Coordinates of all heavy atoms in Angstrom, one line a residue:
E630 N 68.9 115.3 108.3 CA 67.9 114.4 107.6 C 68.0 113.0 108.2 O 69.0 112.4 108.3 CB 68.3 114.4 106.0 CG 67.4 113.6 105.2 CD 67.6 113.6 103.8 OE1 68.7 114.2 103.4 OE2 66.8 113.3 103.0
M631 N 66.8 112.6 108.6 CA 66.7 111.3 109.2 C 66.5 110.2 108.2 O 65.5 110.4 107.4 CB 65.5 111.2 110.3 CG 65.6 112.4 111.3 SD 67.1 112.5 112.2 CE 67.0 111.2 113.3
K632 N 67.3 109.2 108.1 CA 67.3 108.3 107.0 C 67.4 106.8 107.6 O 67.8 106.5 108.6 CB 68.5 108.5 106.0 CG 68.4 109.8 105.3 CD 67.2 110.0 104.4 CE 67.3 109.0 103.3 NZ 66.1 109.1 102.4
S633 N 67.0 105.9 106.7 CA 67.2 104.4 106.9 C 66.7 103.9 108.2 O 67.2 103.1 108.8 CB 68.8 104.2 106.9 OG 69.5 104.8 105.8
A634 N 65.5 104.4 108.5 CA 64.8 103.9 109.7 C 64.1 102.6 109.4 O 63.7 102.2 108.3 CB 63.6 104.9 110.1
W635 N 64.2 101.7 110.5 CA 63.5 100.4 110.4 C 63.2 99.9 111.8 O 63.7 100.5 112.8 CB 64.4 99.4 109.7 CG 65.7 99.0 110.4 CD1 66.8 99.7 110.4 CD2 65.8 98.0 111.4 NE1 67.7 99.1 111.3 CE2 67.2 98.0 111.8 CE3 65.1 96.9 111.8 CZ2 67.7 97.1 112.7 CZ3 65.5 96.0 112.7 CH2 66.9 96.1 113.1
T636 N 62.2 99.1 111.9 CA 61.8 98.4 113.2 C 61.7 96.9 113.0 O 61.6 96.4 111.9 CB 60.6 99.0 113.7 OG1 59.5 98.6 112.9 CG2 60.6 100.5 113.9
T637 N 61.7 96.2 114.1 CA 61.6 94.8 114.1 C 60.3 94.4 113.4 O 59.3 95.2 113.4 CB 61.5 94.3 115.6 OG1 61.2 92.9 115.6 CG2 60.6 95.0 116.4
D638 N 60.2 93.2 113.0 CA 58.9 92.6 112.4 C 58.1 92.0 113.5 O 57.0 91.4 113.2 CB 59.2 91.6 111.2 CG 60.2 90.5 111.7 OD1 60.5 90.5 112.9 OD2 60.5 89.7 110.8
D639 N 58.5 92.1 114.8 CA 57.7 91.7 115.9 C 56.6 92.7 116.1 O 56.8 93.7 116.5 CB 58.5 91.5 117.1 CG 57.8 91.1 118.3 OD1 56.5 91.2 118.4 OD2 58.5 90.5 119.3
R640 N 55.3 92.3 115.8 CA 54.2 93.3 115.8 C 54.1 93.9 117.2 O 53.7 95.1 117.4 CB 53.0 92.7 115.3 CG 53.1 92.3 113.8 CD 51.7 91.8 113.3 NE 51.8 91.5 111.9 CZ 50.8 91.9 111.0 NH1 49.8 92.5 111.5 NH2 51.0 91.6 109.7
N641 N 54.3 93.1 118.2 CA 54.2 93.6 119.6 C 55.1 94.6 120.0 O 54.9 95.5 120.9 CB 54.2 92.4 120.6 CG 53.0 91.5 120.4 OD1 51.9 91.9 120.1 ND2 53.2 90.2 120.6
R642 N 56.3 94.6 119.4 CA 57.4 95.6 119.7 C 57.5 96.6 118.7 O 58.1 97.7 119.0 CB 58.7 94.8 119.8 CG 58.8 93.9 121.1 CD 60.2 93.6 121.4 NE 60.3 92.9 122.7 CZ 61.4 92.7 123.3 NH1 62.5 92.9 122.7 NH2 61.4 92.1 124.5
A643 N 57.1 96.4 117.5 CA 57.3 97.4 116.3 C 56.8 98.8 116.7 O 57.5 99.9 116.4 CB 56.7 96.9 115.0
R644 N 55.5 99.0 117.2 CA 55.0 100.3 117.4 C 55.8 101.0 118.5 O 56.1 102.2 118.3 CB 53.5 100.2 117.7 CG 52.9 101.5 117.8 CD 51.3 101.4 117.8 NE 50.9 101.0 116.5 CZ 50.7 101.8 115.5 NH1 50.9 103.1 115.6 NH2 50.2 101.4 114.3
P645 N 56.0 100.4 119.7 CA 56.8 101.2 120.7 C 58.2 101.5 120.3 O 58.7 102.6 120.6 CB 56.7 100.3 121.9 CG 56.3 98.9 121.4 CD 55.5 99.1 120.2
V646 N 58.8 100.6 119.5 CA 60.1 100.9 119.0 C 60.1 102.1 118.0 O 60.9 103.1 118.1 CB 60.8 99.7 118.3 CG1 62.0 100.1 117.4 CG2 61.2 98.7 119.2
S647 N 59.1 102.1 117.2 CA 58.9 103.2 116.1 C 58.6 104.5 116.9 O 59.2 105.6 116.5 CB 57.6 102.9 115.3 OG 57.5 103.9 114.3
K648 N 57.8 104.6 117.9 CA 57.5 105.8 118.8 C 58.8 106.3 119.4 O 59.0 107.5 119.5 CB 56.4 105.5 119.7 CG 55.1 105.4 119.0 CD 53.9 105.5 120.0 CE 53.6 106.8 120.5 NZ 52.3 107.0 121.2
A649 N 59.6 105.4 119.9 CA 60.9 105.8 120.5 C 61.8 106.4 119.5 O 62.5 107.4 119.8 CB 61.6 104.6 121.2
L650 N 61.9 105.8 118.3 CA 62.8 106.3 117.3 C 62.3 107.6 116.8 O 63.0 108.5 116.3 CB 62.9 105.3 116.1 CG 63.6 104.0 116.5 CD1 63.5 103.0 115.3 CD2 65.1 104.4 116.7
A651 N 60.9 107.9 116.9 CA 60.3 109.1 116.4 C 60.8 110.3 117.3 O 60.8 111.5 116.7 CB 58.8 109.1 116.5
R652 N 61.4 110.0 118.4 CA 62.0 111.1 119.2 C 63.4 111.3 118.9 O 64.1 112.3 119.5 CB 61.7 110.8 120.7 CG 60.3 110.4 121.1 CD 60.1 110.3 122.6 NE 60.8 109.2 123.2 CZ 60.2 108.0 123.3 NH1 59.0 107.7 122.9 NH2 60.9 107.0 124.0
S653 N 64.0 110.5 118.2 CA 65.5 110.5 118.0 C 66.0 111.9 117.5 O 67.1 112.3 117.9 CB 66.0 109.4 117.1 OG 65.3 109.5 115.8
G654 N 65.3 112.5 116.6 CA 65.9 113.7 116.0 C 66.1 114.8 117.0 O 67.0 115.6 116.8
F655 N 65.3 114.8 118.1 CA 65.5 115.8 119.2 C 66.8 115.6 119.9 O 67.4 116.6 120.4 CB 64.3 115.8 120.1 CG 63.0 116.3 119.4 CD1 62.1 115.4 118.7 CD2 62.7 117.7 119.3 CE1 61.0 115.8 118.2 CE2 61.6 118.1 118.7 CZ 60.7 117.2 118.0
H656 N 67.2 114.4 120.0 CA 68.5 114.1 120.7 C 69.6 114.8 119.8 O 70.5 115.4 120.4 CB 68.8 112.7 120.8 CG 67.7 111.9 121.3 ND1 67.4 110.6 120.9 CD2 66.6 112.2 122.2 CE1 66.3 110.1 121.5 NE2 65.8 111.1 122.3
A657 N 69.5 114.6 118.6 CA 70.6 115.2 117.7 C 70.5 116.6 117.6 O 71.5 117.4 117.6 CB 70.4 114.6 116.2
M658 N 69.3 117.2 117.5 CA 69.1 118.7 117.5 C 69.6 119.3 118.8 O 70.2 120.4 118.8 CB 67.6 119.0 117.3 CG 67.2 118.8 115.9 SD 65.5 119.5 115.5 CE 64.5 118.2 116.3
E659 N 69.4 118.6 119.9 CA 70.0 119.0 121.2 C 71.5 119.1 121.2 O 72.1 120.1 121.6 CB 69.5 118.2 122.4 CG 70.1 118.4 123.7 CD 69.6 119.8 124.3 OE1 68.5 120.3 123.8 OE2 70.3 120.3 125.2
L660 N 72.1 118.0 120.7 CA 73.5 117.9 120.7 C 74.2 119.0 119.8 O 75.3 119.4 120.1 CB 73.9 116.5 120.3 CG 73.9 115.4 121.3 CD1 74.1 114.0 120.6 CD2 74.9 115.6 122.5
M661 N 73.5 119.3 118.7 CA 74.2 120.1 117.6 C 73.7 121.4 117.5 O 74.1 122.3 116.7 CB 74.1 119.4 116.3 CG 74.8 118.0 116.2 SD 74.8 117.3 114.6 CE 75.9 118.4 113.7
G662 N 72.7 121.8 118.4 CA 72.1 123.2 118.4 C 71.4 123.5 117.1 O 71.5 124.6 116.6
I663 N 70.8 122.5 116.6 CA 70.0 122.6 115.3 C 68.6 122.7 115.5 O 68.0 122.2 116.5 CB 70.3 121.4 114.4 CG1 71.7 121.5 113.8 CG2 69.3 121.1 113.3 CD1 72.2 120.3 113.0
Q664 N 67.9 123.5 114.6 CA 66.4 123.7 114.8 C 65.6 122.8 114.1 O 64.5 122.5 114.5 CB 66.1 125.2 114.3 CG 64.6 125.6 114.5 CD 64.3 126.9 114.0 OE1 65.2 127.8 113.9 NE2 63.0 127.2 113.9
F665 N 66.0 122.2 112.9 CA 65.1 121.4 112.1 C 65.6 120.0 111.8 O 66.9 119.7 111.8 CB 64.9 122.0 110.7 CG 64.2 123.4 110.8 CD1 64.8 124.5 110.7 CD2 62.8 123.4 110.9 CE1 64.2 125.7 110.7 CE2 62.1 124.5 110.9 CZ 62.8 125.7 110.8
C666 N 64.7 119.0 111.8 CA 64.9 117.7 111.2 C 63.9 117.5 110.1 O 62.8 118.0 110.1 CB 64.8 116.7 112.3 SG 66.2 116.3 113.2

């Protein structure tokens, strides 16, 4: 379960940071052999 997400209030950086974090669950699923987030 992905929780407590946040991004900077800098509008120019918030969207790319958010898109990068959107990929984070796959790093964890890879490490733990898990199918779902």
Side-chain angles (χ1 to χ4, degrees):
E630 183 172 12
M631 310 304 286
K632 299 295 297 177
S633 315
W635 66 276
T636 65
T637 174
D638 53 5
D639 181 338
R640 294 186 177 221
N641 293 325
R642 289 196 169 188
R644 186 166 290 277
V646 167
S647 181
K648 291 190 76 169
L650 292 174
R652 303 190 294 271
S653 59
F655 291 93
H656 313 145
M658 289 189 281
E659 174 70 22
L660 284 170
M661 299 190 69
I663 280 174
Q664 184 176 344
F665 294 101
C666 271

